[in-house]
Amino acid sequence: MTYSTPDIRDSQRYDGPTIALHWVTAFLMLLQFTLGECWSWPAKPVHHLMVVAHLSAGIVLSAVMVLRIVWRLTKGRHLPDASRPVSRVLALGVEYTLYALILAEIVLGYLWRWGGGQAMSFFGVLIPPPFAHFRATPLGWIHSVHDWNAWLIMALAIGHGMAALFHHFVLRDNILRRMQPSVCDVFRCEK
């Protein structure tokens, strides 16, 4: 059985909010990973700013993920399959796995910070822990899982990006255009 790869037309692109939320999530995850992996390098004042930026971006990421899920379940455009069944299953598997891992990473981040008896900082506004300080062993476990999960997210995200580039440059099926940002998505201009 042979499959033909359809050309992606503008009507087969995701809607503007879905595209924006996708790329904002990608940016925030890259920022979070970079800050988390590099904040031990600089001296105290810069280190503190990096930690506060990580915490603030984590809270923003929490809101973005809630918006993504609500949008996807309500108004987000659901596109027909544009790839072979095996590719579609793999793509959905990676997508849902990334959602689950990012949500787990967010929860682990809150647990690590609050479980350590420290407030979350949202651009300088402190959010105190809603529960008691954790013991050292579970806190160390949470920190370790948070760190390993971040690496797993980055590995899957890189694989996701490489698959999109493979579709674009090797298969030439234009599937990457489905998530391509457009000025018209933002400003609702006529094409």
Side-chain angles (χ1 to χ4, degrees), residues 1 6 9 19-20 23 31 45 59 62 67 83-84 104 118 133 139 152 157 159 167:
M1 179 183 256
R9 298 181 192 355
I19 293 170
W23 291 110
L31 175 67
I59 293 171
S62 302
L67 283 172
S83 58
R84 296 180 175 136
Q118 298 178 321
H133 189 285
L139 196 59
L152 183 56
H167 274 273

Side-chain angles (χ1 to χ4, degrees), residues 140-152:
W141 179 83
I142 290 169
H143 174 245
S144 180
V145 173
H146 184 69
D147 187 50
W148 281 103
N149 192 47
W151 281 95
L152 183 56

Side-chain angles (χ1 to χ4, degrees), residues 52-135:
V52 169
H54 183 81
L55 297 173
S56 298
I59 293 171
V60 171
L61 179 63
S62 302
V64 167
M65 287 304 294
V66 168
L67 283 172
R68 268 190 91 155
I69 292 167
V70 168
W71 184 257
R72 183 169 180 88
L73 293 175
T74 58
K75 298 182 180 189
R77 181 180 296 164
H78 296 270
L79 299 179
D81 294 346
S83 58
R84 296 180 175 136
V86 172
S87 296
R88 180 70 178 160
V89 168
L90 287 172
L92 285 175
V94 169
E95 180 182 348
Y96 293 142
T97 301
L98 278 169
Y99 270 77
L101 291 174
I102 292 169
L103 291 172
E105 188 72 357
I106 290 167
V107 170
L108 289 164
Y110 284 102
L111 288 174
W112 179 31
R113 184 73 179 183
W114 282 338
Q118 298 178 321
M120 288 290 290
S121 177
F122 185 64
F123 300 104
V125 176
L126 298 180
I127 305 167
F131 44 78
H133 189 285
F134 294 168
R135 294 179 187 211

Side-chain angles (χ1 to χ4, degrees), residues 2-9 12 81-84 87 167-168 170-176:
T2 61
Y3 294 94
S4 63
T5 307
D7 188 31
I8 304 298
R9 298 181 192 355
Q12 294 174 308
D81 294 346
S83 58
R84 296 180 175 136
S87 296
H167 274 273
H168 186 74
V170 176
L171 298 179
R172 297 187 184 276
D173 59 7
N174 291 327
I175 205 163
L176 187 59

